[in-house]
Amino acid sequence: MEQITKHFTQLTTAELQKIYQLRVTVFVVEQQCPYQEVDAADLSAYHIWFQEGEEILAYLRLLPPGTAFDEAAIGRVIAVRRRQGLGSRVLAAGIQAARDLLHADSLVLEAQVYARGLYEKAGFQAVSEEFLEDGIPHIRMRRTL
């Protein structure tokens, strides 16, 4: 399994297509949540994923401060093979990239409530009450680096 970290400007068209296909499959189709999944934040993002052969096994995007929040942010976290530690691994890679690439002091994210435990294990703490985002319960979380 290979870890890949690329800024949007470094992605090949084939990589971008695979990323978008995966994100739409999970966040729009599986979760039955029609929303604008592909957005302008992708243009500023670092895209981090684990790949085996041509298959993306886990993915997230890392946003520089000022893109979606005042602080650096992690979003679109996906583990294709669930309950195998891939979510934790890609999250750890995103946290490290925030330190190395963005020199971030902290990270924020808006977690789907069902995944809150994953983020708490990685050191994130809730900083909001639950709220609905596109009809799905979320909670804002923050981690100091």
Side-chain angles (χ1 to χ4, degrees):
M1 184 167 43
E2 176 184 11
Q3 178 186 325
I4 301 169
T5 301
K6 291 187 176 185
H7 187 269
F8 180 85
T9 57
Q10 299 169 312
L11 293 171
T12 67
T13 54
E15 289 168 336
L16 184 60
Q17 189 277 334
K18 285 193 289 187
I19 288 167
Y20 284 164
Q21 183 174 1
L22 175 62
R23 287 176 17 189
V24 168
T25 296
V26 172
F27 296 123
V28 179
V29 178
E30 275 184 24
Q31 296 183 354
Q32 299 178 354
C33 184
Y35 76 105
Q36 189 59 51
E37 205 296 316
V38 176
D39 61 23
D42 282 318
L43 301 171
S44 302
Y46 285 91
H47 300 267
I48 301 167
W49 70 95
F50 287 98
Q51 183 171 304
E52 195 167 77
E54 294 299 312
E55 182 184 9
I56 297 175
L57 302 178
Y59 167 88
L60 64 73
R61 73 176 181 182
L62 173 64
L63 303 175
T67 304
F69 303 96
D70 291 339
E71 299 169 273
I74 284 179
R76 306 298 202 266
V77 180
I78 299 171
V80 175
R81 298 179 190 159
R82 297 181 178 124
R83 306 264 188 260
Q84 295 184 14
L86 292 170
S88 296
R89 287 185 66 180
V90 76
L91 188 55
I95 292 166
Q96 191 60 50
R99 288 183 181 116
D100 296 344
L101 300 172
L102 302 179
H103 310 290
D105 295 326
S106 60
L107 274 169
V108 295
L109 55 81
E110 291 184 342
Q112 292 186 11
V113 171
Y114 83 89
R116 181 177 180 168
L118 168 72
Y119 300 109
E120 287 176 336
K121 286 179 188 173
F124 286 85
Q125 296 179 331
V127 294
S128 77
E129 298 295 322
E130 289 185 22
F131 60 92
L132 289 178
E133 177 85 19
D134 299 312
I136 297 174
H138 282 71
I139 190 161
R140 185 170 292 178
M141 302 184 83
R142 184 176 188 276
R143 177 189 161 146
T144 302
L145 302 180

